Amino acid sequence: MFDLTGKLAVVVGGSRGIGRACCEALARQGARVVVGYAQRADAAELVVQRVREAGGEAESLRLDLSHPAEAEATLAKTIQQLGRLDILVLSAGISIDGLLLRLKEEDLERQLTVNVKGSLGCARAGIKAMMRARQGRVIFLSSVVGETGNIGQTAYAATKAALLGITKSLAREYASRGVTVNAVAPGYITTEMTASLPEAVTSAMLQGIPLERAGTPEDVAAAVVFLASSEASYVTGQTLRVNGGMYV
């Protein structure tokens, strides 16, 4: 079940957190993995090393979504060199928190550029290759905040909500070519991004989770593996919530 042997997967934002867990989980199922990173080449190479030590195939690739056109061109060139693309996981994203009236225009633009424009550009490069092969899996990493909203995260929530609309639209556009497009919406997950939250905020978040624990990157990666597999061939345009019941 969930056998990905012979598949090529690119994970954009694969060097840390949820993206790292996705790389390792996809590799365990047999996929050859390209670990996309923006700045931390050392972190990406560490993921590559872990995958190889576990018997998998991996390599790293710089894909900085703060420069969408450049990232799209780089991904397109890489796909051409590798000869195929079966799975594209768009996990890269940034959050710059702040109340709307204090939100700087440059911070709003940066989040829109990375989270939406950058993801769309990479999706475009990936889908072009998948259309020719008449098969493929595109998986966006959204967030529970994109569905519920959150104080101080208006811009971030807007970008993550945008990915849900993009998922539905692309699913309709490319289903006839054998390409499925889905999203995963994590809830409160223990990552570097959440580790910096004040203890009072963390405690309040946990009280709102029926399963009474934070999720792990591996919890999210398991959902990604399912959506990337042949077992999910009849699933498209959907958002799979991995949130412990935080939002249903």
Side-chain angles (χ1 to χ4, degrees):
M1 184 175 285
F2 308 150
D3 184 10
L4 302 176
T5 302
K7 302 293 186 181
L8 177 68
V10 173
V11 181
V12 183
S15 63
R16 296 184 295 169
I18 291 172
R20 172 197 55 76
C22 288
C23 289
E24 294 178 359
L26 291 165
R28 280 195 299 271
Q29 298 306 120
R32 177 184 177 185
V33 176
V34 177
V35 183
Y37 69 94
Q39 303 296 334
R40 292 287 305 279
D42 58 332
E45 284 303 316
L46 181 59
V47 178
V48 170
Q49 181 181 341
R50 286 166 62 101
V51 169
R52 290 177 177 172
E53 287 175 350
E57 293 184 78
E59 57 200 271
S60 63
L61 176 68
R62 188 169 187 268
L63 293 168
D64 186 354
L65 299 198
S66 63
H67 301 285
E70 180 181 319
E72 180 178 351
T74 298
L75 181 55
K77 181 179 179 180
T78 300
I79 294 170
Q80 185 177 31
Q81 291 172 340
L82 295 173
R84 65 184 299 161
L85 176 64
D86 302 288
I87 302 158
L88 177 61
V89 181
L90 295 155
S91 179
I94 60 171
S95 175
I96 305 173
D97 296 345
L99 298 174
L100 178 62
L101 297 186
R102 299 176 182 175
L103 182 66
K104 297 178 181 178
E105 185 64 26
E106 56 265 33
D107 290 341
L108 169 61
E109 184 60 33
R110 187 179 173 201
Q111 290 177 87
L112 287 169
T113 297
V114 173
N115 299 359
V116 181
K117 294 178 182 178
S119 293
L120 267 177
C122 287
R124 181 160 48 205
I127 288 173
K128 283 181 181 178
M130 292 175 181
M131 283 177 62
R132 290 192 292 270
R134 301 193 71 83
Q135 64 86 32
R137 303 279 188 269
V138 179
I139 303 164
F140 289 95
L141 266 294
S142 181
S143 168
V144 64
V145 174
E147 297 188 287
T148 66
N150 194 34
I151 294 172
Q153 290 192 307
T154 298
Y156 180 70
T159 65
K160 292 301 183 176
L163 295 182
L164 301 182
I166 288 167
T167 294
K168 294 176 186 294
S169 298
L170 293 181
R172 291 181 179 275
E173 287 183 12
Y174 299 103
S176 65
R177 300 300 183 95
V179 179
T180 67
V181 185
N182 292 288
V184 175
Y188 181 64
I189 307 296
T190 53
T191 64
E192 290 181 19
M193 186 180 291
T194 59
S196 61
L197 292 174
E199 185 175 342
V201 174
T202 298
S203 178
M205 295 275 282
L206 292 176
Q207 288 177 15
I209 301 174
L211 285 182
E212 298 181 341
R213 71 170 177 88
T216 67
E218 289 71 26
D219 290 326
V220 182
V224 169
V225 167
F226 164 66
L227 292 173
S229 71
S230 60
E231 282 80 2
S233 63
Y234 201 56
V235 179
T236 195
Q238 304 304 307
T239 299
L240 181 49
R241 297 167 179 153
V242 184
N243 62 31
M246 183 180 183
Y247 174 72
V248 296

